[in-house]
Amino acid sequence: MKDIIIAPSMLASDFSQVRESLDFVKKNGAQWVHLDVMDGHFVPNMTFGTKFVQDMRPHSDLVFDVHLMVENPEFFVEEFGKTGADYITFHVESCYHIHRLIYRIKELGKKAGISIVPSTPVSAIAPVLGDVDLVLVMTVNPGFGGQKLIPSCIEKISQLSSIKKEKGYNYLISVDGGVGGSNAQTLVDAGADVLATGSAFFKDPSWTKTLQF
Ligand code: DX5
Ligand code: ZN
């Protein structure tokens, strides 16, 4: 038995009603809040920066799970470190010196996560799997909410789960993109610890209560 963490993505909420959305997240049993930061370069969309996260912080006691979809994430972690973020996750595809950045995030007193897009294999992050607190497997091409999960990515969750057991690593396996009632149990069975979910959660979160671990 393990706890599955539900991490609703605020991207799917109405930004004009942030406080109500944070209440909705908590009331429906989620433990984390997933915050998608997009820069219009790494992904073809823009969302929000540090101020938005900082302004939300006093209105939620849940874990803030910041997902940086930005180029040069090393330019931003310092400032996100001051926002009250708990986890800071960046993409291997947008950074040359991932080992250095993981330890910079840790020095800031934050949990460090690394993420891979659907076309990146687990082997691309193998050398740092012993160093990270979280691995975020993208199951859609990042940039937008409401897309369909790409089934071939599920295999990466199983791989990460096996490596974790084999080597005794401690990272959480998080899944992001198209996660909802129709696939959540499969993802949990494959080894997911955290389900980042946007549209499917804000539309009707009842499926999160039906998961069996
Ligand atoms: C996509 C983001 C996701 C997104 C998930 O680029 O990283 O966190 O908000 O939204 P859904 O669950 O609607 O795919
Ligand atoms: Zn995300």
Side-chain angles (χ1 to χ4, degrees):
M1 277 278 280
K2 64 172 181 176
D3 285 335
I4 294 299
I5 296 163
I6 302 294
S9 165
M10 293 298 284
L11 184 62
S13 72
D14 181 341
F15 283 4
S16 70
Q17 297 181 24
V18 186
R19 286 163 73 164
E20 288 86 342
S21 302
L22 287 170
D23 289 346
F24 180 84
V25 165
K26 173 128 184 175
K27 200 179 73 200
N28 284 290
Q31 305 90 323
W32 289 17
V33 179
H34 185 82
L35 298 163
D36 289 303
V37 177
M38 302 184 188
D39 67 349
H41 292 275
F42 180 63
V43 289
N45 195 8
M46 289 191 282
T47 54
F48 47 80
T50 50
K51 184 169 188 300
F52 193 66
V53 178
Q54 204 160 14
D55 287 357
M56 268 190 267
R57 188 66 279 187
H59 303 292
S60 175
D61 57 5
L62 301 185
V63 169
F64 273 17
D65 174 32
V66 170
H67 177 193
L68 295 178
M69 283 161 280
V70 301
E71 278 180 9
N72 303 118
E74 60 277 17
F75 295 168
F76 299 100
V77 296
E78 211 77 36
E79 289 306 310
F80 274 98
K82 299 177 192 160
T83 59
D86 297 289
Y87 281 78
I88 300 180
T89 295
F90 65 96
H91 275 263
V92 64
E93 302 87 2
S94 69
C95 181
Y96 291 122
H97 306 294
I98 62 173
H99 181 272
R100 176 187 287 157
L101 192 53
I102 288 162
Y103 280 92
R104 184 67 198 123
I105 293 170
K106 290 185 170 194
E107 276 166 22
L108 295 169
K110 307 296 170 187
K111 302 272 191 192
I114 190 82
S115 185
I116 48 176
V117 301
S119 58
T120 301
V122 167
S123 58
I125 53 171
V128 297
L129 287 176
D131 303 296
V132 288
D133 300 298
L134 178 142
V135 179
L136 180 63
V137 178
M138 289 296 312
T139 40
V140 298
N141 290 295
F144 303 93
Q147 304 181 75
K148 222 169 136 7
L149 178 140
I150 300 167
S152 58
C153 299
I154 299 175
E155 170 67 22
K156 290 195 261 185
I157 302 168
S158 316
Q159 283 175 28
L160 284 161
S161 182
S162 305
I163 296 172
K164 186 171 149 175
K165 275 184 213 133
E166 233 170 72
K167 308 247 184 189
Y169 291 156
N170 290 314
Y171 53 79
L172 292 172
I173 303 171
S174 182
V175 190
D176 186 11
V179 176
S182 63
N183 51 37
Q185 190 61 53
T186 307
L187 303 172
V188 167
D189 293 345
D193 304 294
V194 183
L195 300 177
T197 167
S199 347
F201 181 87
F202 281 95
K203 196 171 166 209
D204 174 9
S206 56
W207 58 270
T208 59
K209 308 276 183 233
T210 66
L211 299 175
Q212 299 187 343
F213 320 129

